[in-house]
Amino acid sequence: MEPIRLGGISLTDTGLEIDRNVSFSNFDAVLQFSLAMRRFGPLWVGRVLNEMYRRFGDKCWSPINSTMASDEDINRLMKVARLVPSENWNPRLGHTHHFHAARLPLHLQKSALATAEVDGLNSSDFGTHVSKLLNDMARSKLVRPPAK
């Protein structure tokens, strides 16, 4: 990976390279960027790849370094970004919460994610919650009386 240079600090695949006279504000900017990448990186990667694919087709795969992400990882990131629209995304929850929400119909995603936030559900508990919602939906379709 080519280093990403931000204000006298280079982010490399093995750590940091830091110029001598880097200011506190430069460190702070790199820290804020790094924290944002940790939290929102999966969403950004998925959205960028979906848009690249839409615009450039199969050419979008050429910049992906297979040591940084497997095909399975890339497909998962793209799928979640595609199935959970921006208006349903909850920035206070992690990517795995949104992975589970992607299994739900669009109209249920936002409220389910809000439940996860309010009730403090970790991603595993939220996956169980989503499975229960899907089972309840399937059951209600089975017992619904026929239309007249």
Side-chain angles (χ1 to χ4, degrees):
M1 166 184 121
E2 286 294 317
I4 298 169
R5 189 149 177 81
L6 302 168
I9 300 172
S10 295
L11 307 173
T12 71
D13 55 0
T14 58
L16 302 174
E17 294 172 4
I18 305 169
D19 293 349
R20 264 205 168 130
N21 297 319
V22 175
S23 69
F24 180 86
S25 65
N26 288 120
F27 272 105
D28 183 51
V30 171
L31 175 62
Q32 296 309 314
F33 173 76
S34 299
L35 291 171
M37 285 302 297
R38 180 177 181 269
R39 181 57 141 183
F40 305 113
L43 166 66
W44 294 340
V45 169
R47 297 257 160 93
V48 165
L49 283 168
N50 282 330
E51 188 60 23
M52 284 176 70
Y53 186 76
R54 188 183 75 72
R55 292 180 183 209
F56 306 110
D58 287 335
K59 186 178 178 181
C60 79
W61 308 121
S62 60
I64 298 172
N65 180 335
S66 62
T67 62
M68 293 182 72
S70 69
D71 290 346
E72 183 180 324
D73 292 335
I74 294 299
N75 286 327
R76 178 181 181 194
L77 295 172
M78 291 177 73
K79 179 180 179 182
V80 173
R82 187 175 56 253
L83 294 178
V84 182
S86 296
E87 60 270 13
N88 289 351
W89 202 269
N90 185 327
R92 291 166 299 283
L93 298 172
H95 192 262
T96 305
H97 283 85
H98 294 87
F99 173 77
H100 292 302
R103 297 168 40 209
L104 293 169
L106 289 176
H107 70 280
L108 295 179
Q109 291 176 355
K110 192 170 194 161
S111 63
L113 288 164
T115 297
E117 180 185 4
V118 170
D119 293 352
L121 300 178
N122 64 34
S123 58
S124 178
D125 292 341
F126 184 61
T128 302
H129 175 72
V130 167
S131 293
K132 183 180 180 318
L133 286 173
L134 291 169
N135 286 336
D136 290 349
M137 286 173 49
R139 237 179 310 205
S140 71
K141 286 180 182 176
L142 293 175
V143 296
R144 183 177 294 149
K148 292 183 180 185

